[in-house]
Structure formats: structure tokens, C-alpha cells
Amino acid sequence: METIFLVLDFISGHIITPLFLHLSNWLTTLLIRPMDFLHIATPLQVFLLGVLTALLSWRLRIILRIPEKTEAFRRIFQKKKHEQGILAKGIEDKYARDALLRVSDEEIDEEYNAFMADYFSRYGMAYLLPVVVAMAWIQNVFPQSALFEKTGSILLVDMGSKVLGIQGLSVAAVFLMAYLLSLICLFGYHGLRKKRRARQILKGRM
Amino acid sequence: MKQAKAVSILFALIAVFLLNATSWAAQVSLSANEIKAGSPITIKGTIEPGQDLFLVICNEKLFRPSDSPGAKEKKKLTKLFGDIAIPPIYYVITTAPEKLAFPKDAAKGQTKGPFAFPPFKYTVRVNKIKPWDQIPNDVKEMLGPITTKEQWDFLIYTHEKKFGINTITKERPIGGGNARMVVTDYSRQAEAWNKGISLTLDKKTGAFSVTISPYKNLAPDTRMAVYVNGNKMAGFKVMKSGYYFKTGCTYMNPLIVFIGAFIIGVLFVIMGAAGGLFTAAYQITVIGTKGPVGVNAANTIKPTNLFLTLCSPITGLYTYAKEKRFAWPLAIFFALGILFGAFYIGPEYSAKYLPMKAYKFYLGIVCLFIGIKLFYESLPSSIEKKKAMKAIIQKFNQAVREAKKTGKAAELGKVEFDKFNFIKFNMRFWGETFVARPLMMLIGGILMGAIAASFGVGGGFMFMPFMTSVAGYPMYLAVPIALSGTFATSVGGIAKYILMGYSPDWVMAACIAAGAIGGGMVGPKIQKKLPEIFLKRMLALALIIVFMKYTKILPFMR
């Protein structure tokens, strides 16, 4: 066991940590320094990083073929549900029909659980991982101690007095808001484009 | 002549005094100026012969309640102790521990509340710290940076009260009692808290030697001060010992966090629920998340956990909405209720009333219920029941094929609603009619959202039984609504915790997320090859052990 821990410590201390440190330095040089050079305010920097992370998530979503996989599951689900409906119609006895529906529900649940696990993995890779990794990096770039030295507050946007029970916005709050807003905009734009395309196809047919 | 004699005597006395003073001045040498966190340090030196030794090791940087990053902790501690400053870690290693504390049996565990009875309430041996008024005046001068009654009272709080320990001291009590503060050589006082402490003092010469391992999760570059009989004599720096999670405030190899989360990911696939509970237990027991000084450990675990539960529902909702499988009047009321509970009630009351001690205890109770449920599902009777039902399905599968051939396939249903009523209305879903109760969903949502956000979990383990058993909805209807509930819990809970000053440990969250994602990918592929019954029983056993550990019902687990 001791040897395993030694190996894990070695991998972590000599490969993974230096790799992430380099990545962090590289990202700082590429993103933060130019923004500093342009005198962009810290809250806006964090906001822009949220937008960039959302764009990364959007790109990952396409690379991981999430819409296609979801569509495939939807088809399987509909097929099973369809079969269940036909089965239920063929049984006259209410109790037998209920029992059948319950068991076939369970069967579909199993399918659903497996899908959800896969779903979690894909969406985790597209959305959760970029957010947590970006946040881990951002908290190193804008640590609370540095914010306190710079602005006299550990909050990124200090409202001074409490507004609706909120004293201000932390780095995490600004970043997450920017991320979510950007994703909402991206999904909205995507939806609009799809609708427009569908309309154009319809017009073409007519 | 007489005057000259008097002056010479005076000079001689001064010389003797200075000589003695020089020889009495304590001298100290440390085994190292820098030690790895968790490693022992040896302090050797001399004090005035015949005296007792009071060696204080503590943080150089003092903590004030106003330094608390957590809103609730700041309010509570400021109310109790004002602007008093104390070192979070404070040890007095002494040859006269009886002057500062005395061993006694004390009631611990659930000393109040609905579970304040054995075995949840139990007796353990603790080192009871004496009140300031009972400490001899000469000893009061030996306590380093602690010079007032208010400081001493604050220290007692941070070493005897679980809230103080989990918020400020952070060092786990040895033997389930109080955190280490007044200690001596184990051979001098054979009590659990003195284990690993070595103290020798030659009273004739004043030569002493002390060896102690300070708290193992001290942050890298923490500066510690050493006081000998009241005088600051030396200091040393704590160096990192492996990877340090900055917000979780614990040393742990990130790969171990990843591997553990990977296993949880695989288990999540097998169980289909309770991933949040497992992650919470993993953070408490294996990773040992402590949180920053001034934030109760539970208030770091909860937002980190909620963040991990956010991912699974986030876009599943989008798909369901697109498929028009949302019973929206129900989902909206349920999600609104949950959002309200998770934002306004859960975190607020959890931060205040569910600190680490209570959090662990009630998490243990929840683990017991889920463990029993899992065990029940693995029983031969349950499996037989399932098998019998599956046989019926096989029989009717044939009928399906025939129906398809004859073209009798029915169209897929959609969710349809009659006239909306806040109390009760009829709803058709996939060709079946159900009674919808928006008010019940709203109230249930508020309650469950508050509970889920309090524990920092998604709440799926509550939502599904509520939907299927209490509300009587089929799974296809219940799953999207429950998913909207999990999403609302995560959003409401995270937003509130972050606004209250409780931040997740992002690096830890990244490691756990990566591991869980990996486990989630591998799980479905190996699920069929795994012995499901055996695994379910093992999981049930693990959950029951977690219950026993968190509720401390067995003496050796305290």
C-alpha cells in the first residue's frame, strides 16, 4: 500500500501538478496579461473569462456529439414506451395491467439510469469540468488576499451595504453568472437558427 | 567608608542578580526551523531550575471573529466573543497539566435534541480546561499570547465545543472528546490526548525536551511561535506535505480523490441515485475536508457537493422540454417550491443549525435508510418478484411483435391538461389520466428543497419516492419533474451558499467531477458484468457502517 501511495504521490507531484502549473501560467500569459495591459477592470476580466468558458463548453458539446447521443436515447425510450402502451392495451384485467406497467416502468428506469450515468459523463465533460477547472485557475489568479489588498474587500463587486441581503458579488458569483448568461444566449441563438432553418425548408417545399 | 561599602554591596548584588538572571533565562533550540505538516518537532532547552515547564506552540497569526469568511460564523462568533484574537492552533505542553485542565468523563454526542439518548448520547474521557479564575496567577503569565480571561474563554470554546473545533481549531479530537490543548508526556498522564507527546524536564538543571506533532493539516507556510514559560523564544515554519487543497484545507493526493470519485461514479450507475450522499460522505471521511479557519467544515462540503449535483440535470431538462414530456404546471410549482426552500431556507438554516456535528449525524441517519432500502432490493423475494414480472413482459413481447405486424401500433402520447386548478386537476399523460396537485407539489418542494440544500445534496433520493409513492405519478412523469427539482436545489443552494461567503473547493470539485465522470462512463459498460446483488449488499453494508460511524453508536468508532 505504501508503494502505491508513493507512486501516486510521484505522479501527482512530478507530473500532474507541474503540468497544471504550466497550463495555469500559460493561460495567465495568454488571457490575463493582455487584459491587464488594456486596463480592463477586474470584474470585467472575470466576466469575460466566464464568457470564454461558456464558449469552450459549447464547443465541447459539439465535439462530444451530445445532441446526437440524446436523440438516440430518445428514440430507444419512445420505442420502449410505445411497446409498453401496446402491451397494456392487450390486457383487460386492471391489476395485471398495473403490474405490467409497473415492471415495464422499472425496466425503462434501468435503461434510464444507464442513460443518465452516460449523460452525466458527457455533460460533466462539456459543462462541469470546464467550470470547475476554470474556477480553480481563476481563484489562483484573483485570490481573496490580492483582492483585499487591491480594493479593501474580498468581494469582487462590493456593494457596501446589503442590497436584498447581499453584500456584494464574489469572483465565483460573477464568473458563474457570466457563464450561465452566455450559455443561455448561445442556446437561444441556436434555437432561433434552427427555427429559421426549419421555416426556410418549409418555404422551399411550398 | 560606610557609604563605599554599601555601594560595593549593592553592585555585588546587582552582579549576582544579573548573573543569575542570565543563567535562568530560558534557552531553546529546535530540531528544525521548517517542518513538514504532520511531522514532529523537538524543542530542547533550559528553564530556571525547580520550575514547571509551560511550553506554548501556536500560530503567529491570530484569528478574530471578524476574520471569518462565512457570514453565519462571523455573526455567531462576533456575538459571543466580540473582537478577541486567539491563535487557531494552541498547545500548552506542560509538566503541570493539572493547573490548567483536569481529565473527567463528559457527556458527548447528541446531548440535546430528539436523539439525546444512548447510544447517540455517550460518555467519553475529556481534558476539561479550567476556567480562567481557577488558574494560578503565576501560571497565567506563562501562556504566551493568551493574557486575558476573554481569550481563554474563546480558546475553551474552540477546543471543547464541536462548532468551535470544526470552525476554528479544525484538529480532530483524539478519543471523541475535546481538541488537544493542554498536554503532557503520556507516561505522566496516560490519556488519549497525550499520545505521541514526549516531555522530559530535569528540575535540577532545568533542561527540557519536548516532542510533538502539530496539527497535520496546517496550511503550507504557516508560521508557528514557540513560547517557553511566557517568553517568545523561537518560531518555525510549516512546509507542505503533499498537495494542499486551499479551500478544503486538507492534504490529500488529488489522484486519490479522483480514484475515489471514480468508484463513486461506478456505484452511482449501479444504484441510480444517492450519488450526492456518497460524495458528501467521501468528502467528510476520506478526503477530510476541513474548510478555511472561520468557516465550519460542513459549509465547505455542502457547496462543493451541490456543484457536483448540478451537472446531471442541467441539460436533461432542455431535452425533456423539447420532447414536451414536462408536466409543466407540476414541474413549475415543484421547482419554485424547491428553489424557495433551497435558497431562502436550506442554506440559511443549515449554516446556522447544521454545523459539522449535526450534519454528520443526520447524514448518517439518511445513509441508514438508503442502506436498508438497498439491502431490501437485494433480497431473494424482491429479486423473484422482479423476475416473475419480467417473465410476463417476455410473454407480451410476442404480442407486441404481432401488433406491429398488423399495424395496430398506437401513437405516442403527450402530456395534456384539463382546466388548471391550484388545488387539484386532471391531467393526461401517455394516454393515462392522473390527478395533479400543484399546491401539494409546492409545499413538498419547499420542504424537500430546504432539506436537500441543507445537506448539500441534489435530493433525488427524496424526490422520486415523493413523486411515485406520495403523489402517485408514473416514473416517466416523475423523472423529468424530479430532475427539475434537482436542478432547482443545485442552483438555489449554490447561489445562496456563494452569496453567504461559502465557496466550494474548486480543485477538489474538479478532481471529484473528473473521477465521477470517468466512473459514469465506465459504469454502464461494466454494470452487466458486476455481481449486482453482492455489490448492492456491500453498498448497503458500507452505508450502515457510515451510519454507525457518523452517529458514533459504537464506542470504538468515537
Side-chain angles (χ1 to χ4, degrees):
Chain A
M1 205 63 184
E2 195 66 28
T3 319
I4 296 169
F5 283 129
L6 276 174
V7 172
L8 289 177
D9 282 345
F10 178 82
I11 297 169
S12 167
H14 292 85
I15 300 168
I16 295 170
T17 309
L19 182 78
F20 276 94
L21 276 175
H22 278 298
L23 187 69
S24 164
N25 292 337
W26 183 75
L27 281 173
T28 308
T29 313
L30 191 78
L31 298 171
I32 306 294
R33 287 201 187 139
M35 288 199 280
D36 278 341
F37 182 74
L38 293 169
H39 294 286
I40 294 174
T42 316
L44 188 57
Q45 287 190 22
V46 176
F47 190 90
L48 289 174
L49 291 172
V51 175
L52 282 177
T53 313
L55 287 170
L56 175 71
S57 289
W58 188 257
R59 189 74 209 141
L60 283 171
R61 175 183 169 273
I62 294 161
I63 293 169
L64 294 167
R65 293 169 54 231
I66 287 171
E68 289 91 329
K69 293 273 175 185
T70 310
E71 185 60 30
F73 170 74
R74 199 180 65 85
R75 260 184 259 122
I76 296 170
F77 182 88
Q78 284 188 339
K79 195 182 150 209
K80 289 225 167 201
K81 192 66 206 137
H82 177 73
E83 284 173 359
Q84 189 196 41
I86 294 166
L87 280 170
K89 274 184 183 172
I91 304 168
E92 283 179 8
D93 180 46
K94 187 181 176 288
Y95 295 105
R97 192 170 59 233
D98 285 351
L100 174 80
L101 284 171
R102 204 165 47 243
V103 176
S104 53
D105 271 350
E106 280 177 21
E107 207 180 41
I108 298 173
D109 283 348
E110 278 175 22
E111 196 84 41
Y112 179 78
N113 281 341
F115 167 71
M116 281 311 289
D118 192 44
Y119 213 59
F120 176 80
S121 305
R122 288 180 185 282
Y123 280 96
M125 273 193 281
Y127 302 99
L128 185 62
L129 264 187
V131 169
V132 286
V133 172
M135 268 315 300
W137 170 62
I138 287 168
Q139 292 231 318
N140 265 336
V141 179
F142 306 108
Q144 284 189 344
S145 54
L147 282 176
F148 190 79
E149 273 175 27
K150 214 171 169 181
T151 62
S153 168
I154 56 166
L155 294 165
L156 190 63
V157 181
D158 200 331
M159 295 175 184
S161 59
K162 280 190 172 182
V163 181
L164 295 169
I166 299 161
Q167 184 114 37
L169 298 172
S170 63
V171 172
V174 172
F175 174 83
L176 291 173
M177 271 198 316
Y179 179 81
L180 286 175
L181 280 174
S182 308
L183 271 189
I184 291 167
C185 290
L186 284 167
F187 271 110
Y189 175 67
H190 180 68
L192 276 176
R193 265 184 62 182
K194 269 181 92 175
K195 270 186 188 168
R196 209 177 294 154
R197 210 177 297 153
R199 247 183 257 143
Q200 276 172 355
I201 293 167
L202 266 175
K203 270 184 189 173
R205 277 181 192 166
M206 284 168 84
Chain B
M1 190 65 186
K2 269 187 180 176
Q3 275 179 336
K5 203 176 173 181
V7 169
S8 63
I9 289 168
L10 186 67
F11 272 113
L13 281 172
I14 290 168
V16 167
F17 176 76
L18 286 175
L19 196 71
N20 277 340
T22 312
S23 63
W24 289 347
Q27 287 175 351
V28 159
S29 68
L30 306 182
S31 59
N33 290 324
E34 291 178 350
I35 61 157
K36 271 190 168 186
S39 303
I41 185 160
T42 300
I43 301 149
K44 287 182 179 174
T46 51
I47 55 168
E48 186 183 340
Q51 275 202 344
D52 278 317
L53 174 71
F54 290 89
L55 191 140
V56 171
I57 296 177
C58 62
N59 299 75
E60 279 198 352
K61 193 180 173 199
L62 303 186
F63 168 82
R64 292 171 191 279
S66 56
D67 296 336
S68 281
K72 288 288 162 194
E73 289 85 348
K74 187 189 273 186
K75 198 175 169 189
K76 184 173 181 173
L77 294 171
T78 308
K79 193 180 168 191
L80 286 170
F81 302 103
D83 200 33
I84 302 297
I86 55 157
I89 292 290
Y90 180 84
Y91 304 115
V92 186
I93 305 122
T94 175
T95 48
E98 67 285 351
K99 289 181 180 174
L100 293 168
F102 57 95
K104 66 171 267 196
D105 291 332
K108 289 276 174 180
Q110 299 300 302
T111 49
K112 54 186 177 184
F115 291 94
F117 54 84
F120 304 120
K121 184 182 175 184
Y122 48 85
T123 304
V124 287
R125 196 99 171 125
V126 299
N127 201 20
K128 179 77 190 144
I129 302 160
K130 285 185 172 178
W132 184 254
D133 304 333
Q134 289 178 22
I135 298 170
N137 283 333
D138 58 327
V139 176
K140 285 178 183 169
E141 290 164 12
M142 310 275 187
L143 302 174
I146 305 303
T147 53
T148 64
K149 179 184 182 301
E150 288 76 20
Q151 282 182 303
W152 190 252
D153 288 346
F154 195 3
L155 273 180
I156 292 176
Y157 184 82
T158 62
H159 286 77
E160 290 192 348
K161 297 283 179 196
K162 279 279 184 190
F163 182 84
I165 295 170
N166 288 320
T167 306
I168 297 162
T169 310
K170 306 281 181 184
E171 189 174 19
R172 193 171 173 263
I174 302 169
N178 299 337
R180 288 190 303 174
M181 185 169 131
V182 179
V183 289
T184 188
D185 192 273
Y186 187 73
S187 61
R188 194 183 294 260
Q189 192 186 56
E191 298 285 359
W193 52 86
N194 292 324
K195 277 180 186 167
I197 310 271
S198 163
L199 166 61
T200 57
L201 171 70
D202 184 349
K203 278 204 170 180
K204 283 179 191 165
T205 60
F208 71 86
S209 172
V210 168
T211 301
I212 182 171
S213 297
Y215 173 47
K216 67 177 181 177
N217 284 316
L218 280 171
D221 300 325
T222 302
R223 298 205 69 88
M224 304 295 285
V226 177
Y227 292 81
V228 178
N229 284 3
N231 300 311
K232 190 176 177 185
M233 303 299 292
F236 62 92
K237 197 161 97 172
V238 177
M239 305 301 289
K240 68 173 183 177
S241 168
Y243 185 83
Y244 187 71
F245 287 97
K246 279 182 190 165
T247 309
C249 295
T250 184
Y251 288 96
M252 176 63 77
N253 188 323
L255 277 176
I256 294 176
V257 179
F258 172 85
I259 294 166
F262 180 88
I263 296 166
I264 290 173
V266 174
L267 295 180
F268 177 72
V269 174
I270 295 164
M271 287 177 61
L277 278 177
F278 266 108
T279 323
Y282 181 60
Q283 277 197 73
I284 296 169
T285 307
V286 182
I287 305 174
T289 304
K290 303 287 177 201
V293 175
V295 171
N296 193 274
N299 292 334
T300 301
I301 293 168
K302 291 171 217 167
T304 307
N305 224 38
L306 273 175
F307 211 88
L308 297 165
T309 58
L310 175 69
C311 185
S312 108
I314 199 163
T315 41
L317 291 171
Y318 176 70
T319 314
Y320 284 127
K322 219 166 68 177
E323 287 176 5
K324 293 180 180 169
R325 281 186 50 213
F326 254 123
W328 60 266
L330 292 182
I332 284 176
F333 281 100
F334 191 55
L336 275 178
I338 285 179
L339 202 62
F340 184 86
F343 189 86
Y344 285 106
I345 305 173
E348 192 79 23
Y349 284 87
S350 175
K352 198 173 177 184
Y353 298 112
L354 209 63
M356 196 59 175
K357 182 186 166 189
Y359 179 63
K360 269 173 80 172
F361 182 81
Y362 288 105
L363 198 70
I365 302 277
V366 176
C367 284
L368 175 71
F369 283 115
I370 295 176
I372 291 169
K373 182 178 170 271
L374 265 180
F375 186 75
Y376 175 77
E377 282 173 9
S378 74
L379 287 175
S381 56
S382 294
I383 294 159
E384 281 305 313
K385 215 166 132 187
K386 215 173 171 182
K387 269 185 188 169
M389 292 296 187
K390 278 190 177 174
I392 301 172
I393 287 192
Q394 292 296 322
K395 196 177 163 187
F396 283 98
N397 272 343
Q398 187 62 35
V400 172
R401 279 189 282 274
E402 280 169 20
K404 270 184 183 173
K405 276 179 199 168
T406 52
K408 285 179 184 172
E411 279 299 304
L412 280 168
K414 281 182 186 174
V415 181
E416 289 171 349
F417 306 100
D418 288 339
K419 198 180 172 186
F420 179 78
N421 185 301
F422 193 57
I423 308 291
K424 193 177 162 185
F425 67 93
N426 283 332
M427 179 185 80
R428 283 180 301 280
F429 180 62
W430 300 92
E432 290 170 59
T433 304
F434 301 96
V435 178
R437 293 183 178 88
L439 183 64
M440 185 180 83
M441 297 297 278
L442 183 77
I443 295 168
I446 292 173
L447 278 174
M448 286 184 288
I451 294 168
S454 299
F455 281 94
V457 295
F461 69 95
M462 284 184 291
F463 301 159
M464 288 312 288
F466 174 76
M467 298 277 183
T468 53
S469 306
V470 181
Y473 299 139
M475 289 295 260
Y476 321 120
L477 181 73
V479 168
I481 299 174
L483 214 58
S484 73
T486 315
F487 180 69
T489 309
S490 303
V491 170
I494 291 167
K496 186 69 181 191
Y497 278 118
I498 287 180
L499 289 173
M500 284 166 76
Y502 304 118
S503 177
D505 189 307
W506 296 106
V507 180
M508 192 186 287
C511 293
I512 296 175
I517 287 165
M521 284 170 86
V522 174
K525 291 182 178 74
I526 60 168
Q527 191 181 12
K528 293 251 157 68
K529 291 169 193 161
L530 293 172
E532 196 183 335
I533 296 168
F534 175 75
L535 275 175
K536 275 195 170 171
R537 286 187 182 174
M538 284 294 108
L539 272 176
L541 185 68
L543 284 167
I544 289 163
I545 291 171
V546 170
F547 156 74
M548 289 195 288
K549 187 167 171 57
Y550 287 0
T551 53
K552 299 182 176 179
I553 59 169
L554 295 177
F556 65 90
M557 285 183 168
R558 284 164 195 163

